[in-house]
């Protein structure tokens, strides 16, 4: 993450969490309380919030894709062991999207194990 050294030698980070700031400290001649309201710091904070939103959306898409893959495989083959479920949950979104297409060609549960062996590791 980004961090800036304060006049007192400590660090603070641009964060959506907005940790409590010691307002007696100064950075570039401005008290921290005033610096926090500058356009540059506001832009950095907004950038951090936007990155957080994007990461959250990506994680949500990955979780939903894993859940969909599990549902499709259970529907197709009747059951899915926990190790396979765990392996699917750990896959990144692009691999899950590829699996959603590839599983249409699976003829049995063993095809998933073969697919995971070929596609599961980075």
């Amino acid at each position: 993450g980004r961090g800036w050294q304060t006049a007192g030698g400590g660090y603070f980070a641009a964060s959506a969490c907005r940790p409590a700031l010691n307002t007696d400290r100064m950075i570039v001649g401005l008290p921290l309380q005033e610096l926090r309201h500058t356009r540059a710091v506001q832009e950095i904070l907004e950038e951090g919030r936007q990155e957080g939103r994007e990461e959250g959306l990506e994680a949500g898409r990955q979780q939903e894709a894993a859940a969909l893959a599990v549902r499709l495989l259970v529907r197709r083959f009747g059951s899915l062991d926990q190790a396979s479920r765990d392996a699917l949950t750990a896959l990144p979104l692009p691999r899950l999207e590829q699996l959603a297409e590839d599983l249409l060609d699976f003829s049995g549960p063993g095809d998933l194990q073969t697919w995971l062996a070929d596609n599961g590791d980075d």
Side-chain angles (χ1 to χ4, degrees):
R2 293 187 182 101
W4 293 275
Q5 190 163 14
T6 65
Y11 287 87
F12 78 94
S15 165
C17 297
R18 295 188 184 192
L21 298 176
N22 179 345
T23 57
D24 296 336
R25 293 199 173 168
M26 307 262 295
I27 300 176
V28 294
L30 290 173
L32 287 178
Q33 190 64 26
E34 289 180 29
L35 183 64
R36 191 169 75 164
H37 297 290
T38 64
R39 182 182 309 183
V41 170
Q42 289 299 313
E43 288 174 2
I44 291 167
L45 290 172
E46 180 55 34
E47 182 180 317
R49 284 190 287 272
Q50 182 62 32
E51 288 175 9
R53 283 189 291 270
E54 290 170 6
E55 288 172 9
L57 288 172
E58 182 72 14
R61 285 191 294 265
Q62 187 276 339
Q63 290 170 354
E64 184 55 34
L68 178 60
V70 167
R71 288 193 311 269
L72 291 171
L73 288 161
V74 166
R75 172 125 186 210
R76 180 142 185 165
F77 301 118
S79 67
L80 194 62
D81 62 89
Q82 189 60 47
S84 295
R85 290 172 188 262
D86 293 344
L88 293 173
T89 302
L91 290 173
L93 183 59
R95 292 243 172 92
L96 288 164
E97 291 170 339
Q98 185 61 51
L99 174 61
E101 293 179 25
D102 292 348
L103 70 82
L104 296 173
D105 297 324
F106 289 0
S107 58
D111 290 337
L112 174 62
Q113 300 311 316
T114 301
W115 189 94
L116 287 169
D118 293 343
N119 296 279
D121 295 327
D122 285 331

